[in-house]
Amino acid sequence: MNNIIKYSLFFLTLLFISCAQHDKSNNNQEQIEKNIDALIRKMTLEEKLGQMNQITSYLNIEDLSNLIKKGETGSILNETDPVRINALQRVAMEESRLGIPILFARDVIHGFKTIFPIPLGQAASFNPLLVETGARISAIEASSVGIKWTFAPMIDISRDPRWGRIAEGFGEDTYLTSVMGAASIKGYQGDSLNGRTSIAACAKHFVGYGAVEGGRDYNSTHLSERLLRNVFLPPFEAAVQAGVATFMTSFNDNDGIPSTGNRFILEDILRKEWGFKGFVVSDWASVSEMITHGFAADDADAAMKAINAGVDMEMVSGTYIKEAKQLVGANKVKESTIDNAVRDILRIKYMLGLFDNPYVETNQPNTFYANNHLASAKQAAIESAILLKNDQQTLPIKSNIKTIAIVGPMANAPYEQLGTWIFDGEKEYTQTPLKAIKKLVGNEVQIIYEPGLAYSRDNNSTTITPAVTAASKADLILAFVGEESILSGEAHCLADLDLQGKQSELISALKNTGKPLVTIVMAGRPLTIEKEIEQSDAVLYCFHPGTMGGPAIADLLWGKEVPSGKTPMTFPKKVGQIPAYYSHNNTGRPANRSETLLHNIPIEAGQTSLGCTSFYLDAGFDPLYPFGYGLSYTTFQYGEPTLSSTQLKENDVLTVRVELQNTGNYDATEVVQLYVQDKVGSTTRPVKELKRFMRVPLKAGEKRYVSFELPIKELAFWNIDMKYKVEPGEFNLWVAPDSQSGTPIMFKVVS
Ligand code: GLC
C-alpha cells in the first residue's frame, strides 16, 4: 500500500474520530437537554423554586436534611466536611422526590488549603499558565472534600487601591484581566466540567463593581454603557468564551440600577449578545438588598425584579422560595421564566456529572499541601514579586554579608502572609520569611530577629528601639512591613494608604542606622510608600504571597531566583491622585511634567503662571510607579520594533518583532509589553492600551527576537454610534518594559 493511501486512511481515521467525539459531545449535550426537559416536566413549581434557592450551611444537619428532602434547596455553600456533604447528598439523591443532586460551593479564591498569592499578586506575574496552575491545584484540593463550584475568578477591573477587593482581582487592565480570568476558569474547570477534580467557576462580580465611588465597597457606580463595554465588560465576555459555568451579580447599583435587577446586562448582553448558557447566582443577599437600595419595595418586589432580570439562583436571602409561587400566580413572573432558570441550573449540574457521580470519594489520597502544590505556590510567589528599587545592586545579597537584622511585623506573620479570602488555608503551614531565611543561610549568616512592632497597626513605638539596636549590629537590614490580611478584601477599604501604625517610624529609625536597608512589603494593595522607598536601598513588593511566600522571598533576596514581576496596577504617590491608571484619556490639556509644583510656586504667583494642564500642585501628574513596571537583577535592551506592514486593513494581522537582549549578569525573565494607541477616534481614546504581553527568559548576554501577532480586529472599540468597530486612521505602537517607557512607532489602518 503506497504512502498516499496510507496517509489518506490515517487522516480519514483522524477525521472520523474527531467527528465522532464532536458528535459524542453534541449527543451528550443533546441528551442532557432531553434529561432536563424530562425532569422539568415532572417538577412542581415548589421544586423548581427549590433549585433556585441557595442556602449557607449550618450545624444542624437534621434541619438541612429536611430542607433537602422537601426539595427546598438545590445548592449549599460553605459546607466543607466530606462526610456531611455525602450525608446531605444522599438525602437529596435517595429521600427527595426527584433525586436532584445538591451543588456544594465555596469561595476558593487563591487556594483551598495550599494558598497562592492573592490574585492581584498573581497578576503581577503576567503569567497566565501560572494562574491556571494555581486554579487547577485549588480545584484538586477543594473537589477532594466535595466542593464542585467556586465563586472565582473575580474579574472586576479597578483603578482604586482604596477598595479592599482590589486584592481579589487582577488589577486595572482590561486585557491582562481578560487573559488571567480565562486562565483561572480553565484551571478550575479543567478539560471537562465532569472531570473528577473539576469545579464550576464563576465570573464575578457582574458588573462594574470595581468602580465603586470613592473606593468604598458596596457603593454606587456611574459607568456609561460605552465605558462598560470598552473597559469593564470584556473580561466577562472572555470568561464566557472560556466556557465559564456560572456568573455572579455585583452588589453595586450602576447608573441607578442594581446589577441583581439589571436585565440589560443579564439578559441582553450576557445571554443574547454573548450566548451564555450557564446560570447566574446573586451575590450574598443582593436580591433582598435591592430593598435597601430603594429599588424594590419588599421581598416580593425584589424577587420579581431579580427573576425577571435573569438571576437564576438566589444566594441566601430566601425571597424566591418565599414569594415566587405567588408571583407566578399573579402573573408577575411567568412560569416559563422559572423553567428557564431551572434549566440553566440543571444544565450545569448535569455537565458537572453530579447526577451520575453525586458523592465525593472519602478514601482518596489527601492532596492538601502536596509537595507539587507547595512548589507551584512557591513559584507563583516568586513570579508575583516586584522589584521596585535596587540602588547600588544592594540585591541580591552578597556573600560578604555575614550579619543580617530581620525586622518588621510581617517577617514572621504566618496568618497575615496568606492574605484575604482564606477560609480553609491554615497558618500552621505557612512558611514565613524569617523561617525560610534561617533555613536558607544556615550558619553562613548570623540572623538577628527583632520585629520592632507586633502587627502592622501597632502604635507601640517602644519596641522599635530593640529593632534599631539589632540593625546597628548588622551588615544589612531586611525590613518586612505592609498590611495585616484583614485590612484588604471585602468591605475592608482604606481612605489612607500610608503604612499603618508605627511602621513608617520604624523604617525611618532603621534608615538612620546608616546600614543598607532592604524593605519587603506584603500587602493586599498598592500602598503610598514614597517616603519609605526613598529611605530604602532596595524594595521588593510581594503583595500577600501565600503559604510559600517565605521560601520564595528568601530565594529572591539571595539571587537563587531573579524578580520578574510587573505592577498589575498603577501605584499612586498619594491617595489624592486616585483614580490613577495608565490607559487614561489624553484630555485637552495633558500634563507636560514641566508644571510648577507646590514648593516652587513664587509668592504672589500670577493666576495662570503655574501651567494650565491636568496635574496636582502637590503631587504633579506621574504616579509613584506606572502599570507594568518592575526591575530585575539584570538589565534588558530593546531593539527598534519592526512591523510586518505600516498600512493594514481590518482583516489583516500585524506582526511585530523586536530584538531583546539580556545585557546584565543574571539569567532572568522580562515581561515584554505591547501597547497601542488609537490616535483619533469618533470618541476620545486612551493614550495607550495593553494588547499583548509575553514573559521572555534570557540567559545573561543572550538576545533573541520576540514576535507578537496582533489582528487589526482587536483594535475595535465601542464608538460614537455604540457600534463595535475598527476605525481607520493612525495608530501608535510601543513594545516596552512598562506602560511609561518606549518610543512609539506609527502604523495606519485603512478601510
Ligand atoms: C460575598 C462576596 C462574594 C462571595 C460571596 C459568597 O459577599 O461578595 O464575592 O463569593 O459572598 O461568599
Side-chain angles (χ1 to χ4, degrees), residues 212-241:
V212 283
E213 197 168 40
R216 197 173 70 245
D217 207 358
Y218 314 122
N219 204 356
S220 300
T221 58
H222 310 282
L223 301 168
S224 67
E225 181 183 342
R226 184 172 293 110
L227 195 55
L228 274 174
R229 286 185 177 279
N230 283 325
V231 175
F232 293 85
L233 283 168
F236 289 95
E237 186 174 10
V240 172
Q241 290 163 354

Side-chain angles (χ1 to χ4, degrees), residues 409-687:
M410 298 299 286
N412 195 35
Y415 177 80
E416 311 308 344
Q417 175 176 319
L418 296 179
T420 186
W421 276 109
I422 297 307
F423 287 116
D424 305 289
E426 295 156 298
K427 68 176 185 178
E428 292 73 18
Y429 289 83
T430 302
Q431 296 187 35
T432 65
L434 176 68
K435 288 180 191 158
I437 290 169
K438 283 183 174 176
K439 184 177 175 187
L440 179 67
V441 302
N443 301 323
E444 294 290 301
V445 175
Q446 183 196 354
I447 300 295
I448 310 170
Y449 171 57
E450 280 293 346
L453 295 166
Y455 55 100
S456 69
R457 288 167 294 137
D458 190 356
N459 278 306
N460 172 14
S461 52
T462 59
T463 50
I464 287 180
T465 305
V468 173
T469 306
S472 309
K473 296 173 190 160
D475 302 326
L476 179 127
I477 308 163
L478 297 177
F480 291 84
V481 296
E483 292 181 313
E484 293 149 84
S485 64
I486 194 65
L487 301 180
S488 61
E490 182 173 350
H492 303 155
C493 303
L494 291 169
D496 178 341
L497 300 182
D498 291 349
L499 283 175
Q500 299 287 336
K502 293 291 184 191
Q503 294 184 97
S504 196
E505 286 77 355
L506 173 63
I507 296 289
S508 297
L510 295 170
K511 169 66 182 169
N512 292 339
T513 65
K515 302 287 183 163
L517 170 59
V518 177
T519 298
I520 300 96
V521 185
M522 293 190 199
R525 54 163 57 86
L527 296 174
T528 46
I529 52 172
E530 185 175 24
K531 180 162 73 78
E532 293 79 6
I533 285 173
E534 280 164 8
Q535 292 172 319
S536 305
D537 298 288
V539 179
L540 191 66
Y541 212 92
C542 303
F543 295 101
H544 283 126
T547 305
M548 294 298 283
I553 291 168
D555 284 2
L556 289 162
L557 292 175
W558 266 268
K560 290 162 65 75
E561 295 289 346
V562 176
S564 60
K566 299 278 188 175
T567 48
M569 66 183 298
T570 302
F571 279 49
K573 285 192 193 110
K574 294 177 181 294
V575 163
Q577 288 185 308
I578 294 169
Y581 53 101
Y582 84 92
S583 56
H584 57 80
N585 290 348
N586 205 28
T587 76
R589 294 191 179 187
N592 54 36
R593 281 85 169 181
S594 61
E595 293 86 358
T596 306
L597 299 184
L598 197 70
H599 306 299
N600 303 323
I601 297 175
I603 304 299
E604 296 185 6
Q607 168 58 30
T608 60
S609 61
L610 305 181
C612 296
T613 62
S614 184
F615 77 112
Y616 298 96
L617 292 176
D618 56 351
F621 173 78
D622 285 327
L624 186 59
Y625 295 104
F627 171 84
Y629 174 88
L631 300 176
S632 173
Y633 293 154
T634 192
T635 50
F636 293 99
Q637 186 169 324
Y638 285 67
E640 179 76 21
T642 58
L643 307 185
S644 54
S645 169
T646 55
Q647 191 151 309
L648 302 105
K649 294 193 172 181
E650 183 173 352
N651 292 325
D652 291 340
V653 175
L654 172 65
T655 300
V656 184
R657 288 184 85 228
V658 68
E659 187 177 51
L660 180 71
Q661 183 169 13
N662 177 341
T663 47
N665 306 317
Y666 291 89
D667 299 353
T669 296
E670 169 71 324
V671 177
V672 179
Q673 301 153 51
L674 185 149
Y675 295 90
V676 174
Q677 175 192 22
D678 186 348
K679 292 175 70 175
V680 178
S682 59
T683 63
T684 53
R685 305 289 296 125
V687 294

Side-chain angles (χ1 to χ4, degrees), residues 77-78 107 151 165 168 204-205 209 248 251 283-284 315 421 423 490:
L77 75 153
N78 297 333
D107 289 281
F151 305 120
R165 305 200 75 163
E168 263 182 88
K204 74 182 188 181
H205 306 81
Y209 185 28
M248 181 186 289
F251 286 122
D283 196 349
W284 192 276
M315 188 184 287
W421 276 109
F423 287 116
E490 182 173 350

Side-chain angles (χ1 to χ4, degrees), residues 34-331:
K34 284 177 185 160
N35 295 347
I36 293 169
D37 290 339
L39 193 45
I40 287 182
R41 282 194 291 273
K42 293 178 196 164
M43 294 172 81
T44 64
L45 178 57
E46 288 81 355
E47 285 164 334
K48 293 172 185 174
L49 297 177
Q51 288 300 308
M52 298 167 72
N53 180 43
Q54 181 183 55
I55 63 173
T56 188
S57 187
Y58 49 88
L59 198 56
N60 185 322
I61 198 161
E62 292 307 316
D63 290 355
L64 280 170
S65 300
N66 288 332
L67 271 174
I68 294 168
K69 212 175 288 181
K70 290 186 287 183
E72 291 185 2
T73 184
S75 177
I76 295 177
L77 75 153
N78 297 333
E79 179 55 64
T80 58
D81 176 342
V83 173
R84 279 171 55 98
I85 283 177
N86 278 343
L88 294 168
Q89 194 69 290
R90 197 167 306 287
V91 171
M93 300 308 289
E94 298 177 7
E95 297 180 36
S96 75
R97 192 175 78 85
L98 293 170
I100 299 173
I102 299 290
L103 179 53
F104 288 93
R106 181 70 158 178
D107 289 281
V108 184
I109 308 301
H110 53 107
F112 184 66
K113 291 290 183 181
T114 304
I115 302 302
F116 288 76
I118 56 171
L120 187 60
Q122 293 186 43
S125 71
F126 282 72
N127 185 345
L129 183 59
L130 180 123
V131 168
E132 179 185 337
T133 303
R136 182 86 297 271
I137 287 168
S138 305
I140 288 167
E141 293 189 356
S143 62
S144 75
V145 302
I147 300 299
K148 292 301 283 181
W149 180 22
T150 186
F151 305 120
M154 192 271 227
I155 48 179
D156 298 304
I157 298 295
S158 184
R159 294 137 166 194
D160 195 332
R162 293 172 296 181
W163 188 46
R165 305 200 75 163
I166 197 78
E168 263 182 88
F170 296 107
E172 74 182 50
D173 184 70
T174 298
Y175 178 72
L176 178 62
T177 298
S178 300
V179 171
M180 294 314 203
S184 303
I185 291 157
K186 191 164 185 296
Y188 286 122
Q189 299 188 168
D191 296 332
S192 160
L193 258 188
N194 65 7
R196 185 175 59 81
T197 62
S198 297
I199 63 177
C202 181
K204 74 182 188 181
H205 306 81
F206 195 56
V207 68
Y209 185 28
V212 283
E213 197 168 40
R216 197 173 70 245
D217 207 358
Y218 314 122
N219 204 356
S220 300
T221 58
H222 310 282
L223 301 168
S224 67
E225 181 183 342
R226 184 172 293 110
L227 195 55
L228 274 174
R229 286 185 177 279
N230 283 325
V231 175
F232 293 85
L233 283 168
F236 289 95
E237 186 174 10
V240 172
Q241 290 163 354
V244 72
T246 67
F247 262 61
M248 181 186 289
T249 61
S250 58
F251 286 122
N252 57 300
D253 56 323
N254 186 57
D255 194 20
I257 305 170
S259 300
T260 306
N262 189 332
R263 186 175 171 80
F264 173 64
I265 60 172
L266 296 173
E267 208 58 42
D268 298 348
I269 292 181
L270 179 58
R271 290 183 170 100
K272 289 188 177 135
E273 283 185 37
W274 296 349
F276 177 62
K277 297 289 182 214
F279 73 83
V280 176
V281 66
S282 60
D283 196 349
W284 192 276
S286 58
V287 171
S288 57
E289 283 174 14
M290 289 198 286
I291 301 165
T292 315
H293 272 289
F295 185 76
D298 52 28
D299 279 353
D301 194 27
M304 179 187 72
K305 283 173 174 159
I307 294 171
N308 289 336
V311 180
D312 301 306
M313 184 184 286
E314 177 182 22
M315 188 184 287
V316 308
S317 44
T319 67
Y320 286 15
I321 198 87
K322 178 167 149 256
E323 304 290 351
K325 187 174 181 184
Q326 293 77 357
L327 292 168
V328 171
N331 205 25

